[in-house]
């Protein structure tokens, strides 16, 4: 009886859309589960974490070995890549891709996020989960909320002062701004501690402080002050750029649900708002599997090495139900992102 009452209250088109979307996704979910693609790959992740930890330790050793030479700056790009790898592991832990045990997954996230990167996993998981629930929804997805950048013409119209100037030129400023992303995410984490419960603050806060003190101590112990400042600036800028290059192609410039329109089902909501990036093993490694963005959004808990195995099944299923499946090259994805940012700022440039 309650289900029947709900159906009567909804508009007929909404009911049909909800039922169709559910039935469209169910066969795909059954097929993916039957292939075992939702099963955890604990050993694969254990090896990945061990290799990443060993590489980080080697770079730290290199800092002490050549820290008094300007050649030490060559290690900054290497460390930025390894930090991005660390962030990808934390991301996967937050999605329960590594283990279904929430306590273990949280510990992995705290180690790789708070301690090694100085980024709050509590802040990140809350923000990222809201993004996954409603990607590209201007009222519900924090990733497309108006901030430094805007993503819709309506958002652009409300800009004033300095932010209006930013919006006019945001296509040109987009990638330069990503150089600040790594530092910004650390600041957001500290700021979010006020919102967290006392229990969370007691755990996350000290780890963030330990990272900051440890990072500063490492650099000042391994090299002179001038070298340390140059190394930190280069490392953090390249780390932010790497994250920006990994996250930027995924959704920007893709469809955005109408907040006042009909509610999209899971398949439509995740597929039409996401973009995949073509490439081989190197692309998979550099982007941390986020180049399979459609598959990741449809199955957030799917282990990273299974995403490429699920891709042919997802693409075929989308074609079978008449749904577009966006996939492009890496360079072209950035072109599409910048074009979207340019078009959003166009009305302000005309004025």
């Amino acid at each position: 009886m309650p289900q029947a009452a709900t159906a009567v209250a909804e508009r007929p088109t909404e009911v049909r859309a909800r039922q169709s979307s559910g039935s469209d996704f169910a066969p795909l979910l059954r097929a993916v589960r039957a292939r075992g693609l939702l099963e955890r790959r604990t050993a694969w992740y254990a090896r990945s974490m061990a290799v990443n930890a060993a590489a980080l330790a080697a770079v730290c050793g290199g800092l002490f070995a050549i820290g008094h030479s300007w050649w030490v700056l060559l290690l900054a790009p290497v460390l930025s890549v390894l930090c991005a790898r660390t962030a990808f592991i934390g991301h996967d832990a937050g999605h329960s891709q590594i283990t279904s045990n929430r306590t273990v997954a949280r510990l992995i996230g705290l180690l790789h996020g708070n301690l090694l990167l100085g980024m709050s996993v509590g802040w990140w998981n809350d923000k990222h989960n809201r993004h996954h629930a409603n990607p590209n929804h201007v009222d519900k997805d924090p990733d497309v909320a108006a901030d430094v950048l805007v993503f819709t013409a309506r958002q652009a119209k409300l800009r004033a002062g300095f932010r209006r100037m930013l919006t006019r030129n945001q296509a040109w400023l987009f990638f330069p701004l990503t150089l600040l992303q790594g530092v910004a995410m650390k600041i957001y984490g500290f700021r979010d501690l006020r919102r967290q419960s006392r229990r969370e603050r007691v755990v996350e806060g000290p780890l963030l402080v330990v990272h900051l003190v440890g990072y500063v101590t490492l650099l000042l112990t391994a090299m002179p002050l001038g070298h340390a400042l140059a190394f930190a600036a280069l490392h953090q800028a390249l780390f932010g750029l790497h994250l920006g290059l990994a996250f930027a192609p995924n959704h920007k410039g893709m469809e955005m649900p109408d907040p006042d329109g009909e509610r999209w089902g899971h398949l439509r909501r995740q597929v039409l708002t996401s973009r995949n990036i073509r490439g081989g093993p190197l692309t998979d490694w550099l982007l941390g599997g986020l180049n399979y963005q459609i598959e990741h959004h449809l199955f957030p808990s799917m282990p990273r090495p299974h995403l490429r195995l699920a891709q042919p099944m997802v693409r075929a299923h989308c074609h079978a139900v008449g749904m577009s499946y966006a996939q492009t090259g890496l360079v072209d994805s950035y072109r599409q992102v910048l074009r979207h940012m340019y078009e959003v700022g166009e009305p302000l440039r005309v004025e």
Side-chain angles (χ1 to χ4, degrees):
M1 289 295 293
Q3 292 179 347
T6 301
V8 171
E10 293 176 334
R11 292 195 299 268
T13 54
E14 291 179 342
V15 175
R16 288 196 298 269
R18 178 169 54 81
Q19 293 173 343
S20 175
S21 299
S23 62
D24 283 348
F25 179 66
L28 177 61
L29 176 59
R30 287 194 296 269
V32 166
R33 184 174 286 142
R35 285 277 305 274
L37 298 181
L38 296 180
E39 296 177 4
R40 304 304 191 277
R41 292 286 299 274
T42 306
W44 185 92
Y45 276 108
R47 289 193 299 271
S48 298
M49 288 187 283
V51 170
N52 191 63
L56 286 172
V59 170
C60 290
L63 295 181
F64 285 97
I66 60 175
H68 287 266
S69 167
W70 285 107
W71 288 107
V72 73
L73 296 183
L74 294 178
L75 291 178
V78 179
L79 185 58
S80 69
V81 172
L82 294 177
C83 285
R85 308 300 307 166
T86 304
F88 294 148
I89 292 172
H91 166 269
D92 292 2
H95 281 298
S96 299
Q97 295 178 19
I98 301 175
T99 173
S100 58
N101 187 307
R102 291 188 177 184
T103 301
V104 175
R106 176 162 170 75
L107 288 174
I108 295 173
L110 289 170
L111 172 63
H112 289 80
N114 292 56
L115 185 60
L116 293 180
L117 297 178
M119 294 166 50
S120 167
V121 295
W123 164 77
W124 169 258
N125 287 338
D126 175 71
K127 172 179 176 292
H128 196 58
N129 287 338
R130 286 187 286 130
H131 156 71
H132 264 264
N134 292 281
N136 270 13
H137 192 295
V138 293
D139 292 338
K140 299 178 181 180
D141 183 356
D143 287 356
V144 293
D147 194 2
V148 177
L149 303 173
V150 298
F151 305 94
T152 68
R154 183 177 181 181
Q155 291 174 333
K157 289 180 180 179
L158 301 177
R159 305 292 264 184
F162 178 69
R163 292 192 173 219
R164 193 173 183 87
M165 183 276 292
L166 284 178
T167 301
R168 284 199 301 265
N169 302 284
Q170 65 179 9
W172 301 102
L173 296 173
F174 181 73
F175 283 112
L177 286 172
T178 63
L179 297 173
L180 304 174
Q181 186 64 27
V183 175
M185 295 177 78
K186 292 176 171 61
I187 295 174
Y188 294 151
F190 271 106
R191 190 173 64 186
D192 189 67
L193 289 176
R194 295 174 298 177
R195 184 197 60 82
Q196 296 182 5
S197 67
R198 184 177 181 276
R199 182 180 179 182
E200 291 173 325
R201 286 197 300 271
V202 168
V203 175
E204 294 213 18
L207 288 176
L208 294 177
V209 174
V210 168
H211 166 82
L212 182 60
V213 173
Y215 182 75
V216 172
T217 302
L218 171 66
L219 295 188
L220 293 181
T221 304
M223 62 191 75
L225 178 60
H227 292 57
L229 291 175
F231 185 94
L234 184 60
H235 166 224
Q236 296 299 330
L238 293 179
F239 173 53
L241 179 62
H242 192 152
L243 292 181
L245 291 174
F247 286 105
N250 300 337
H251 302 281
K252 294 174 177 59
M254 297 301 296
E255 287 198 37
M256 303 185 72
D258 181 359
D260 300 320
E262 68 178 41
R263 188 174 64 180
W264 291 8
H266 183 69
L267 187 71
R268 184 181 182 190
R269 183 168 62 246
Q270 305 299 345
V271 173
L272 297 186
T273 60
S274 304
R275 177 192 294 112
N276 273 17
I277 308 300
R278 295 191 190 95
L282 180 60
T283 303
D284 295 356
W285 188 83
L286 285 175
L287 300 185
L290 297 179
N291 45 313
Y292 302 105
Q293 191 66 196
I294 295 174
E295 288 71 28
H296 171 56
H297 262 257
L298 286 173
F299 308 100
S301 64
M302 180 179 289
R304 194 191 312 172
H306 288 173
L307 294 172
R308 64 180 180 85
L309 302 178
Q311 183 186 31
M313 301 172 62
V314 174
R315 183 169 51 200
H317 181 77
C318 288
H319 292 167
V321 300
M323 186 173 294
S324 62
Y325 181 98
Q327 185 175 14
T328 187
L330 184 61
V331 174
D332 186 59
S333 71
Y334 297 136
R335 181 187 63 79
Q336 293 181 31
V337 169
L338 294 178
R339 182 177 62 188
H340 174 71
M341 304 300 292
Y342 185 85
E343 291 174 349
V344 169
E346 178 68 24
L348 301 188
R349 289 192 300 275
V350 172
E351 292 178 6

